Each structure stands twice: as structure tokens, then as C-alpha cells.
């Protein structure tokens, strides 16, 4: 089945069952994810020129760092890009959470208990996120946090491994500027004259990271890294 017709079928199924029996909904969600994974297996993003690569730059806000200990995602923000060009089609959603959010997280993110009590459940948010991403490569700033939550949620909710490749922005900035090590998002944005807007908001951070990606894609291309495979090979030699 072609990808777009499958997407149209899935949207119809999702709408029909979103208020129905969870098991029915989950079976169709898992079927969609497995189909998406098959489509991804047909692609070779490692050898696509960086200036043609479809990526989704994303960020999450969470209650903590360890999903296996019960920490949860509170929001997801994402921006589509092709090469170094940002496509103005952002994705953002809060996530339902019925436990008290730690005060330090409320202060940091501005996300309140009342807001998340009226947000959609994580299953719906993740499926909408996957529909937004489709088979694009994911990008995140210091991606281990995002990767940990994505892997955990995919296995727990959908009983399938998380297959999307997530590229860490550090792969690019450590190639272009080898003196850099672990650099906070606001610091590297300041160094590149990117305005700090909506820090610790998932979409705000995703937008700033997208601007970083655009800058550093161009920088590594000038150093001879034309594809992700070139980036990985070069990074392995640092």
C-alpha cells in the first residue's frame, strides 16, 4: 500500500476510534507504525545530500530525565526542514498528565498542572507527531534525552522499537568547531547570533535548534561533509 493512501486510511480510523475502545485504537496505531517502519527501511538518509535531506528538528519538555522511573513528557515541539531551509509548518502539543508537576519544572517551562489536565493523551500526541514526521530524519540538541523518552514510549505504548534516526546537533558543531564540547542551547545560539526566544518551551527550543542546524549544515558542507555518512565518518575521527 502506498504511503499517502495508508495515511488517509489511518486518519479515518483514528478519528473513528479516538473516543472508542483503547485496544482497537492501539492495534491500528501499531499497524500504522509498522507500516511507517517498512517505508523508512526503503530509504537511505545516510547518503542523501545534506542540502536535500528532510529532517524534523524537535524538542520535548518533561517532568524529569528517567522515563523508566515514571517521568513523563509534558510537551513536544517540532519544525520541518529540507536541508538548511526551515519549512513553516511547526508541530506543538501539550500532553495529558494527572500528577502534580514538580515546582521547578513549572518555573522552568511555564507548563502548569491545569494546562496538562486538558491536554490530549500521550498516545494521541505521539501518533500525531509520527504523522507529522513521517519518514524524515529527526534532529535534536543533545539528543540523548529525547532518544531515551522516544525509545521508552514506543516500546511501552506501541510494543515496537523506535526506528527513527535521531541526529544530535553536536555531531555537526564538533566537526565545524572542534574546540566545542557540551554546549548549552542558549550559549551556542548566542554565539551564532540566534535570538533566545521561548527558552524551555518545546517549540521555542525546536525553532532555535532548527536555526542552529541550518547554520552548521552549511559549515560542515564547506568542510567536505556532503551527507550524514560523511558527518558520521568525520565525527568518528575527532
Amino acid at each position: 500500500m502506498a504511503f499517502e493512501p495508508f495515511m488517509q486510511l489511518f486518519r479515518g480510523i483514528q478519528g473513528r476510534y479516538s473516543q472508542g475502545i483503547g485496544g482497537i485504537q492501539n492495534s491500528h496505531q501499531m499497524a500504522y507504525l509498522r507500516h511507517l517502519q517498512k517505508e523508512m527501511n526503503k530509504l537511505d538518509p545516510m547518503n542523501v545530500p545534506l542540502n536535500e535531506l528532510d529532517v524534523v528538528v524537535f524538542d520535548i519538555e518533561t517532568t524529569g530525565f528517567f522515563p523508566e522511573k515514571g517521568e513523563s513528557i509534558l510537551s513536544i515541539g517540532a519544525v520541518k526542514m529540507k536541508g538548511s531551509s526551515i519549512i513553516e509548518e511547526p508541530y506543538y502539543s501539550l500532553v495529558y498528565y494527572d500528577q502534580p508537576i514538580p515546582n521547578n519544572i513549572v518555573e522552568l517551562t511555564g507548563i502548569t498542572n491545569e494546562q496538562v489536565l486538558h491536554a490530549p493523551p500521550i498516545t494521541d500526541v505521539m501518533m500525531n507527531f509520527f504523522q507529522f514526521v513521517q519518514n524524515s530524519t529527526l534532529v535534536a540538541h543533545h539528543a540523548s534525552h529525547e532518544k531515551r523518552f522516544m525509545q521508552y514510549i514506543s516500546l511501552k505504548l506501541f510494543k515496537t522499537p523506535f526506528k527513527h534516526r535521531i541526529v544530535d546537533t553536536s555531531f555537526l558543531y564538533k566537526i565545524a568547531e572542534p574546540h566545542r564540547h557540551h554546549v548549552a542551547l542558549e550559549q551556542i545560539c548566542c554565539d551564532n547570533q540566534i535570538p533566545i526566544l521561548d527558552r524551555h518551551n518545546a517549540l521555542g527550543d525546536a525553532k532555535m535548534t532548527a536555526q542552529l542546524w541550518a547554520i552548521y549544515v552549511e559549515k560542515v558542507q564547506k568542510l567536505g561533509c556532503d551527507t550524514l555518512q560523511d558527518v558520521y565518518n568525520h565525527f568518528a575521527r575527532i
Side-chain angles (χ1 to χ4, degrees), residues 44-50 53 165 167 175 224-237:
D44 182 19
M46 295 295 288
N47 291 300
V48 175
L50 287 173
L53 185 65
R165 180 182 299 278
V167 181
I175 290 172
C225 293
D226 295 322
T227 66
L228 275 182
Q229 187 64 63
D230 293 337
V231 168
Y232 279 52
N233 291 343
H234 194 127
F235 187 79
R237 297 194 297 268

Side-chain angles (χ1 to χ4, degrees), residues 26 29-30 33-34 122-124 126-127 130 153-160:
N26 287 341
Q29 290 170 342
M30 287 187 282
L33 289 180
R34 290 180 182 129
I122 185 63
T123 49
D124 290 354
M126 289 302 299
M127 292 311 300
F130 285 133
I153 287 171
S154 188
L155 285 172
K156 182 178 180 180
L157 295 183
F158 307 117
K159 314 302 180 188
T160 183

Side-chain angles (χ1 to χ4, degrees), residues 69-110:
K69 294 183 179 180
E71 308 288 5
S72 298
I73 293 177
L74 296 175
S75 64
I76 300 179
V79 177
K80 283 187 176 181
M81 301 185 69
K82 191 175 192 70
S84 58
S85 299
I86 297 174
I87 300 171
E88 293 299 327
E89 186 184 350
Y91 172 80
Y92 178 76
S93 181
L94 292 167
V95 180
Y96 175 78
Y97 186 65
D98 62 356
Q99 303 297 318
I101 301 172
N103 289 334
N104 64 314
I105 301 299
V106 174
E107 293 175 4
L108 183 70
T109 66

Side-chain angles (χ1 to χ4, degrees), residues 10 43 55 146 156 168 179-180 182 188 190 206 208 210 221:
F10 176 77
L43 302 175
V55 303
E146 282 75 14
K156 182 178 180 180
D168 194 317
H179 64 282
R180 290 191 184 273
H182 189 90
I188 196 167
C190 286
M208 287 186 286
Q221 284 179 311

